[in-house]
Amino acid sequence: MSAVSSQAGEARLSRLRRFLLSEHGSRATLVVVLALEILVFSNIARNFLSTTNFLNSGRTMSVFLVVGVGATFGLISGALDISMGAVIALAGTVGTNVVVAGNPGWLAILAAVGSGVLAGLVNGIVVVKMRVNPIVATLGMLGIARGVAYVMDGGTGVIGNLTETGDVTFNVMQRSLWGISYSFIFAALFAAAGWVLLAKTRFGRYAYAVGGNPEAGRSVALPVDRLRILYLTLSGTCAGVAGFMLASQLGGTSANIAFGWELTIITAVILGGVSLAGGTGSMFGTILGVIILGLLENGATLAAWHTNYKLMVQGILLLFAVGMDAARTGGYR
Amino acid sequence: MAVSHPDGLSARPWVGETLLPRLPRLRKSSAADAPADHWQSADGSRPLLEIRGVSRSFGHVRALHEVDIDLREGEILGIVGDNGAGKSTLMKIIAGTVRPDAGHLTMNGEPVSVATALAARRLGIEMIYQDLALFDNLDVAANIFIGREHTRWLPLLLGFLEKRRMHKEAAELLKRLNIQIGSTRQPVGVLSGGQRQMVAIARAVAFEKNVKVLLMDEPSAALGATESETVLELIREIRSHGLSIVIISHRIPEVLSLADRVVVMKRGERVATLDAGSTTVEECVNQIVAGEAGAAA
Ligand SMILES: Nc1ncnc2c1ncn2[C@@H]1O[C@H](COP(=O)(O)OP(=O)(O)OP(=O)(O)O)[C@@H](O)[C@H]1O
Ligand SMILES: [Mg+2]
């Protein structure tokens, strides 16, 4: 009798497991994680549940979100881009330098985004033409981009704060509309566009195809290599846009910003359900993942946690995310 | 029956054709230096496809050595041979996914280049791969339409997918081909081996109007008896629309019942070409086991 009931229990458990691993189940899990997070921080950090704080954290989160859009395309197409943090710093520093040199703001914006496009393009070409694993190729770019940023910055890591004298156009992200920051509005539109591109167009579908089975892609005459270059270029472009946003928000950045952000972004994207192996994931998941990581960043600051604790929680979240991914895909063998 | 309309789905350009400017190719078409050919069939017309002197090695493995094969208009050509005989490699060369070290191809007497899969498709050469080349993470309709999606509003890669239309047409196609698959919205990864095989076949013949040559690499390998029979029926039906078909199979009786001629390959060489009507299973097996390249008919 007890054997029968334990069997029934096991069946129920495996059904639960299957639900949790299904698309809806993973989303539900994320919502639960998010709710828990809000519950915890609203108890330990006094100003966490305030409008000001949400608008405030929205500013940082919007930068994460823009990079997250790029990382989602990259990872779904099978390329883990770890140069994103460094490219953000590069783009921010380039933009800042162009403004400081007395050029118009729009030119600085163009230069910042352009440096991201270039970094992504180089990543893509190296991966495709030299047949280098994307992690290794973008690791190279991580070093190059950060290095160039430091050189441009004069090696001091500090460029004058432009907030007071800054260019109005370049500092556009400091403005807000009815109390909502331009950053937030821009990022929301950016993510919406990313969602449309991923879910509704050929470009999005081929990201899944190339990430799912590149060999088959070649067999059915998809231009796999060129597509891969495009997805990595998009990833770099998003990092470039994020770099501009950050520089704009801060009124100029130094070369050491966004240090280690790739870990945060990759955690957010994988938590959102994008598989490390490529081929699966959604923009909606990424948005949820970014909110979870963004609130962690924010809550940890408000609760005056030491960075180490924040990193630890982030690491745990990453392991959790990767564990879910492994359970879904069969995992590391 | 009302559902049978042999045209298949409306013709769509391949995405790669219009997608991006093509990069210059460094490799010249080897067809340009094709020697004059004196092959003539009994009725004086040239075969649809002539494969001449095709060789290919992988490292020190000689997968193909100076293979000559003709494919006639509207015929079914069987290819048999042991594992590793080079059958798949030969088909991949024709389909543009493997480059030959030497040799050339002519179509309707004209030298043609199949340097890329895209080039082969433009010539109307379609292939069903031994490994099926399916995307397990995409649904059935997406697999059937991959590279040839119906889109609207914006051009090229930015085109919006007409998903509903593609699901509808995919369902119609499956019905016409008598393929039993519950929903075109299922990811291909959850289908049975036989169903996957059927999806691969459906994809290859979906745009039948544009197809002149259909290469099938063991299309019935994963199938049960009933499904095999369905595929054989399907192949005969496709042939009646005027396509030329090459079929690789290890099931010799099946090949003999289906094909007009049978080519036997061994260690990368063609050892015999047999008339399916007059040969026997024993003779085929004998050639596979003991055939010699020099003695090729
Ligand atoms: N990409 C490759 N790299 C290295 N060797 C290869 C490759 N493709 C084929 N070969 C080798 O070429 C030879 C012919 O292979 P091929 O797949 O054409 O055989 P086949 O006749 O299709 O066999 P089977 O009946 O088992 O499918 C084999 O020895 C194989 O190992
Ligand atoms: Mg084979």
Side-chain angles (χ1 to χ4, degrees):
Chain A
M1 195 210 92
S2 75
V4 171
S5 72
S6 93
Q7 247 175 30
E10 239 162 70
R12 218 173 307 134
L13 206 73
S14 91
R15 217 175 313 144
L16 178 71
R17 192 184 135 91
R18 233 177 307 142
F19 170 72
L20 287 180
L21 294 180
S22 75
E23 201 176 320
H24 292 299
S26 320
R27 296 248 174 94
T29 318
L30 282 191
V31 173
V32 170
V33 170
L34 181 59
L36 274 178
E37 187 181 28
I38 293 177
L39 197 74
V40 169
F41 279 126
S42 56
N43 273 303
I44 61 172
R46 234 186 312 131
N47 295 323
F48 186 74
L49 273 188
S50 67
T51 325
T52 358
N53 181 48
F54 273 114
L55 292 178
N56 228 338
S57 63
R59 265 176 30 143
T60 323
M61 241 186 267
S62 47
V63 180
F64 280 154
L65 188 55
V66 168
V67 209
V69 168
T72 304
F73 276 95
L75 207 47
I76 288 178
S77 77
L80 181 61
D81 180 354
I82 57 172
S83 68
M84 290 174 298
V87 174
I88 290 174
L90 173 69
T93 311
V94 166
T96 306
N97 268 22
V98 173
V99 178
V100 169
N103 295 295
W106 61 265
L107 193 67
I109 298 175
L110 221 62
V113 177
S115 62
V117 175
L118 192 68
L121 188 65
V122 171
N123 278 338
I125 290 174
V126 169
V127 166
V128 164
K129 297 293 173 200
M130 291 164 64
R131 303 266 155 226
V132 176
N133 181 309
I135 301 180
V136 180
T138 55
L139 181 65
M141 181 52 72
L142 186 158
I144 295 169
R146 186 71 71 177
V148 172
Y150 272 115
V151 169
M152 295 189 66
D153 183 325
T156 60
V158 181
I159 290 183
N161 189 336
L162 307 183
T163 319
E164 306 301 325
T165 58
D167 185 279
V168 188
T169 315
F170 190 72
N171 287 357
V172 63
M173 292 295 165
Q174 293 174 11
R175 279 190 253 164
S176 56
L177 189 68
W178 303 313
I180 305 170
S181 68
Y182 271 29
S183 285
F184 189 80
I185 298 170
F186 176 76
L189 292 175
F190 197 90
W195 170 72
V196 169
L197 194 62
L198 182 64
K200 303 290 177 192
T201 70
R202 269 188 164 166
F203 184 73
R205 172 159 291 176
Y206 294 163
Y208 291 95
V210 168
N213 192 348
E215 224 23 75
R218 293 202 178 88
S219 299
V220 300
L222 289 184
V224 174
D225 286 351
R226 274 178 274 165
L227 285 166
R228 280 187 162 156
I229 294 177
L230 284 181
Y231 297 123
L232 272 167
T233 305
L234 180 62
S235 180
T237 305
C238 291
V241 173
F244 152 67
M245 287 173 76
L246 204 56
S248 176
Q249 286 176 356
L250 303 172
T253 59
S254 49
N256 53 12
I257 52 150
F259 203 84
W261 277 25
E262 45 282 333
L263 182 69
T264 313
I265 292 152
I266 290 164
T267 306
V269 170
I270 292 176
L271 196 62
V274 176
S275 167
L276 259 181
T280 57
S282 71
M283 204 50 81
F284 183 72
T286 292
I287 294 171
L288 269 182
V290 165
I291 294 176
I292 290 175
L293 267 289
L295 286 184
L296 172 65
E297 193 82 33
N298 172 252
T301 313
L302 285 188
W305 281 5
H306 197 277
T307 320
N308 298 346
Y309 293 111
K310 188 192 78 192
L311 279 179
M312 271 161 56
V313 175
Q314 209 171 302
I316 292 168
L317 278 177
L318 180 62
L319 284 184
F320 172 72
V322 178
M324 295 256 294
D325 178 34
R328 266 191 299 262
T329 58
Y332 181 77
R333 268 169 287 211
Chain B
M1 232 192 342
V3 285
S4 103
H5 44 95
D7 293 349
L9 306 177
S10 50
R12 301 283 312 163
W14 272 88
V15 61
E17 278 174 45
T18 48
L19 196 62
L20 291 164
R22 216 149 340 114
L23 305 170
R25 298 252 163 245
L26 294 177
R27 196 181 167 111
K28 272 181 286 177
S29 158
S30 57
D33 40 289
D37 203 275
H38 37 264
W39 194 96
Q40 294 255 303
S41 76
D43 61 0
S45 67
R46 293 184 64 139
L48 176 65
L49 205 64
E50 293 166 280
I51 301 156
R52 288 291 175 271
V54 167
S55 300
R56 170 75 207 223
S57 297
F58 297 99
H60 57 270
V61 178
R62 203 175 68 173
L64 291 172
H65 182 66
E66 305 206 332
V67 175
D68 296 343
I69 290 178
D70 296 320
L71 178 65
R72 297 174 190 165
E73 188 93 45
E75 82 166 338
I76 298 183
L77 179 69
I79 297 189
V80 298
D82 275 333
N83 295 120
K87 309 181 293 293
S88 296
T89 304
L90 181 64
M91 293 301 105
K92 285 179 191 167
I93 286 172
I94 303 172
T97 44
V98 168
R99 302 276 190 94
D101 297 332
H104 65 271
L105 221 75
T106 71
M107 202 166 182
N108 294 317
E110 298 285 320
V112 291
S113 158
V114 286
T116 63
L118 195 59
R121 279 188 197 264
R122 266 201 224 104
L123 295 169
I125 298 170
E126 192 84 24
M127 172 153 179
I128 297 166
Y129 288 82
Q130 192 166 7
D131 67 7
L132 303 182
L134 293 172
F135 302 90
D136 285 355
N137 56 335
L138 296 179
D139 67 30
V140 172
N143 267 279
I144 288 176
F145 278 94
I146 191 79
R148 310 183 264 205
E149 293 83 0
H150 290 303
T151 57
R152 62 184 159 200
W153 296 334
L154 290 173
L156 311 180
L157 275 178
L158 294 178
F160 276 59
L161 301 167
E162 296 184 72
K163 290 186 186 171
R164 195 171 309 160
R165 177 169 169 207
M166 289 190 278
H167 278 293
K168 184 167 157 280
E169 290 191 8
E172 283 167 8
L173 174 73
L174 296 182
K175 191 170 169 203
R176 179 160 63 84
L177 299 180
N178 226 337
I179 294 174
Q180 311 290 331
I181 286 174
S183 161
T184 57
R185 292 176 193 279
Q186 295 178 82
V188 163
V190 306
L191 300 180
S192 75
Q195 287 175 320
R196 292 162 55 79
Q197 193 107 45
M198 292 295 204
V199 172
I201 295 173
R203 178 173 68 193
V205 301
F207 299 84
E208 219 186 283
K209 251 199 289 196
N210 307 344
V211 183
K212 293 197 184 73
V213 176
L214 183 58
L215 312 171
M216 309 175 108
D217 198 346
E218 306 199 23
S220 58
L223 302 180
T226 322
E227 287 83 4
S228 283
E229 202 43 54
T230 315
V231 170
L232 298 193
E233 255 336 289
L234 190 58
I235 295 172
R236 289 195 187 94
E237 157 100 14
I238 295 166
R239 192 254 292 266
S240 72
H241 302 158
L243 271 68
S244 303
I245 298 171
V246 181
I247 177 168
I248 298 177
S249 177
H250 287 287
R251 302 181 183 179
I252 292 163
E254 192 179 288
V255 175
L256 289 185
S257 78
L258 201 62
D260 301 300
R261 295 182 306 139
V262 180
V263 165
V264 180
M265 304 234 351
K266 189 173 180 182
R267 282 190 225 105
E269 295 181 305
R270 180 176 62 110
V271 293
T273 305
L274 307 166
D275 184 18
S278 58
T279 190
T280 60
V281 173
E282 288 72 32
E283 191 181 353
C284 278
V285 173
N286 191 37
Q287 286 290 353
I288 291 172
V289 176
E292 298 266 341

